[in-house]
Amino acid sequence: MFYSIFYTKNLILSRGNIKMKQNLSQPSLTNFLNAYTASGTMRGHMPGHKGMAPPDFPALSPLYAMDITEISGADSLFEAEGILLAAEQHTAKVWGSAAVCWSAGGSTLCIQAMLAQMKAEGRTVIAGRTVHRSFLNSCVLLGLDVHWVMPRQGGIISGHYDPQDFAKALAAVQKSGRRPCVYVTSPDYTGVMQDIAALAALCHAQDAPLLVDNAHGAHLAFLAENRHPMALGADYCCDSAHKMLPALTGAALLHCRNAAMAPVMKLHMQMFGSTSPSYPIMQSIESCTHWLAARPDAVRLCEQRAAMLRQRLTPKYTLRGEEPLHLTVIADGCDLSAQLRANGVECEYADRTCLVLLLSPMMTETDFARLETALLGCSPKSAAALPPVPEAGERLCDLRTAALAPWESIPAECAAGRVCGPVQVPCPPAVPLCISGERITEEMASLLAFYGIENVAVMRETA
C-alpha cells in the first residue's frame, strides 16, 4: 500500500491536485480527518454514505464526515507506518508502555492477539476462572486448552486468587514438559483486583509470560499510584479505553512490554479483526490520549471525588472492590437499580448480591452530588448471600470440541450431569459459570438458577 506522506516542517498530504497542510503539534489522525473533510474531495471510495448522514439524522453529520476508509495518507491500522503509527507511539508514551497497538474491535481483538502469540509459542495457558467469554471464544478459535485456577475468596464471577495456586499450576505444567503462561482478569467486573506484581514475579521466575485482561482498568496508569498491569510487570495486557475513559465503544489498547513484539501482535490482530476498522473509533483513542496528556490530573481528581463519595456512603452501604472507580454496592442490586433508575441514575450491572456503578473522570462534581443524593435516598434491601465457588466439573473433552459440537438448549434445572456445550453467558457480566467440555454438577446447576439463567447449551447426547 502506498501512502503519499512527506515529512517537512509541516505534514503535507497529497491527493491528486489537493494539498492539505497539517500542524504536527496537533493530533495527527484528527488533523488529517479535519483537513480531508474541509478539502471538499469527491469521495470515490468507501463508505457509501460519502461523508453525509441520511437526511433525517442531521445530528450524525459530523460523525459521518469523519468516517473514511484507508485512503492515501490515512494509513492502515494493521500495517501502520504513517499517522496511525505516530499516534500509537504517542499513546504508548502517555501510558508509559514500550509499545501499544490500537484496536477498534474492543479488548476482544487484543485478547485474541495475545492468545494467538501464546499459541505460536506453544504455551499452555493457566488462567484464573473469572474470565470474560471473549477469552473462552478465543481459546476455542485457537484450539487452546486451559489449566484453570479457582478463586479462593468471593464468588465465581468476582473473586480473589492466591498467587501460590498459580505457582503450583506453573510447576505442574513445567513438570509435564510444557511451557506455561498465566492469564488473569484484573480489575474484574466488580472492581476486584489481583496482586499483579506478585504474579509477574512468579511468572518471570519460571520464564512464563503474564497476560492481563485489564479491560476495566485503562485509567489505572493515571491514578495517584500507578496500578496499571504494565507498571507492575505484565508482559501483555489489554485496556478497553471506552469503559472508564472518554473514548467510543470498541476503542481498546494492546500493551506490549517488548516493543519488538508490536509488529507481531499486529499480524495476529489482522487475523481476527475487520479489514475496515472504524476511523471514528480510532480518532476517539487519539483524542482520549491527547486529553490525558494535557490533563494528567483528571483521573486523580476523579479518584479523590470517588474516595469522598465512598466515605459519605459507608454509614449506609457496604462497598466492595479495591479499584477506586468501580463503586460496587452490596445490596439486592436488582431492587436498588430500579430505585436508582426512578431517580435518574442508570447502573452498569445489578444482580441479587450487588450493584455496580462505573465512575469516570468525565463526571462533574454535580454528577457525583446527584449520585450521592440518589443513593442516600434509596432504601436498599439486603443482598443475597454470595454463593461459594463451586468445584470445577469433570472435564470430558477440550474446549474446542465441546464448543463446536452439536448442541441443544435445555432448562438449567435439568442440566446436572450434562456436558456444557458452546460458550453461552449473558453480557454483562459475561463471566461463564460453566465451561465448555465440563460436566455440569448439581452445585453448578444451582448456581445457574441463582443468577437467573433459565437455559443452558449442552452437548447433544448420541444414542
Side-chain angles (χ1 to χ4, degrees):
M1 183 176 291
F2 173 72
Y3 304 103
S4 308
I5 302 179
F6 306 95
Y7 289 93
T8 57
K9 183 176 181 180
N10 289 308
L11 183 63
I12 304 297
L13 302 165
S14 177
R15 287 185 51 80
N17 294 322
I18 297 171
K19 302 276 185 184
M20 292 171 284
K21 184 177 291 189
Q22 299 191 69
N23 185 342
L24 284 175
S25 67
Q26 299 298 316
S28 53
L29 177 58
T30 300
N31 205 10
F32 174 85
L33 292 172
N34 285 334
Y36 184 61
T37 299
S39 72
T41 301
M42 199 293 290
R43 303 188 183 195
H45 57 77
M46 298 184 291
H49 56 65
K50 305 303 180 185
M52 297 176 289
D56 294 339
F57 300 90
L60 295 175
S61 293
L63 178 66
Y64 273 66
M66 297 293 185
D67 186 34
I68 63 169
T69 189
E70 292 86 348
I71 58 176
S72 176
D75 211 350
S76 180
L77 181 59
F78 299 133
E79 301 86 19
E81 59 183 26
I83 57 176
L84 294 182
L85 177 60
E88 287 178 319
Q89 291 171 341
H90 185 232
T91 300
K93 181 179 179 181
V94 171
W95 258 264
S97 298
V100 167
C101 303
W102 281 6
S103 166
S107 280
T108 295
L109 181 56
C110 303
I111 291 168
Q112 291 166 334
M114 291 192 293
L115 292 176
Q117 181 58 29
M118 297 305 100
K119 176 75 172 185
E121 295 179 14
R123 295 188 180 272
T124 295
V125 181
I126 300 168
R129 185 67 173 251
T130 49
V131 293
H132 191 272
R133 70 185 186 192
S134 58
F135 168 84
L136 285 180
N137 286 327
S138 299
C139 290
V140 169
L141 292 172
L142 291 162
L144 284 169
D145 207 3
V146 181
H147 184 116
W148 296 106
V149 174
M150 304 298 281
R152 288 287 188 97
Q153 299 176 339
I156 194 66
I157 287 178
S158 173
H160 285 99
Y161 294 85
D162 185 339
Q164 289 308 308
D165 288 339
F166 284 96
K168 294 174 184 177
L170 282 164
V173 169
Q174 289 190 325
K175 186 177 181 180
S176 68
R178 294 171 291 168
R179 302 174 69 208
C181 68
V182 169
Y183 180 102
V184 293
T185 304
S186 179
D188 65 21
Y189 209 88
T190 69
V192 169
M193 298 182 71
Q194 308 306 324
D195 190 342
I196 299 300
L199 288 173
L202 280 174
C203 289
H204 296 159
Q206 302 296 328
D207 191 30
L210 174 61
L211 286 60
V212 181
D213 176 354
N214 184 55
H216 276 256
H219 61 290
L220 294 178
F222 309 98
L223 296 176
E225 175 189 356
N226 187 343
R227 301 175 69 185
H228 195 274
M230 300 309 292
L232 299 176
D235 294 283
Y236 301 98
C237 90
C238 62
D239 297 351
S240 285
H242 68 270
K243 282 185 167 62
M244 311 293 287
L245 294 174
L248 293 178
T249 299
L253 310 173
L254 171 55
H255 298 264
C256 306
R257 174 161 298 278
N258 181 357
M261 290 304 299
V264 179
M265 302 310 284
K266 284 292 188 84
L267 288 174
H268 296 318
M269 294 174 87
Q270 73 174 359
M271 184 189 310
F272 297 99
S274 170
T275 56
S276 300
S278 166
Y279 274 82
I281 290 177
M282 290 189 282
Q283 185 187 18
S284 79
I285 299 175
E286 181 178 66
S287 64
C288 177
T289 300
H290 278 261
W291 180 76
L292 287 165
R295 285 289 314 277
D297 62 325
V299 175
R300 293 194 293 273
L301 177 59
C302 181
E303 182 182 13
Q304 293 167 5
R305 287 172 171 168
M308 289 188 288
L309 176 62
R310 287 173 182 273
Q311 289 178 356
R312 292 167 181 161
L313 293 176
T314 298
K316 182 168 186 172
Y317 291 100
T318 299
L319 307 176
R320 186 176 72 199
E322 303 90 350
E323 201 295 294
L325 304 194
H326 282 71
L327 188 64
T328 301
V329 182
I330 305 307
D332 182 336
C334 299
D335 175 73
L336 184 57
S337 65
Q339 294 185 55
L340 286 173
R341 192 174 297 114
N343 285 281
V345 175
E346 187 66 38
C347 72
E348 167 67 22
Y349 171 73
D351 64 28
R352 295 167 59 193
T353 71
C354 70
L355 175 138
V356 180
L357 293 147
L358 299 184
L359 311 179
S360 160
M362 297 303 286
M363 292 173 62
T364 64
E365 192 170 354
T366 300
D367 292 328
F368 276 91
R370 284 186 62 194
L371 180 57
E372 179 184 346
T373 299
L375 281 166
L376 292 179
C378 291
S379 301
K381 294 182 178 179
S382 298
L386 193 66
V389 177
E391 294 291 331
E394 176 189 8
R395 185 164 62 178
L396 276 298
C397 62
D398 61 77
L399 285 168
R400 186 171 197 168
T401 298
L404 300 179
W407 60 277
E408 59 182 330
S409 180
I410 64 172
E413 62 265 24
C414 303
R418 300 292 297 272
V419 180
C420 183
V423 177
Q424 190 182 47
V425 58
C427 183
V431 177
L433 302 178
C434 305
I435 299 294
S436 302
E438 289 183 358
R439 190 182 299 281
I440 299 171
T441 63
E442 291 282 357
E443 188 180 19
M444 190 66 72
S446 297
L447 196 61
L448 292 168
F450 178 87
Y451 281 106
I453 297 176
E454 297 179 354
N455 297 290
V456 59
V458 298
M459 293 179 66
R460 188 175 300 159
E461 294 180 333
T462 56

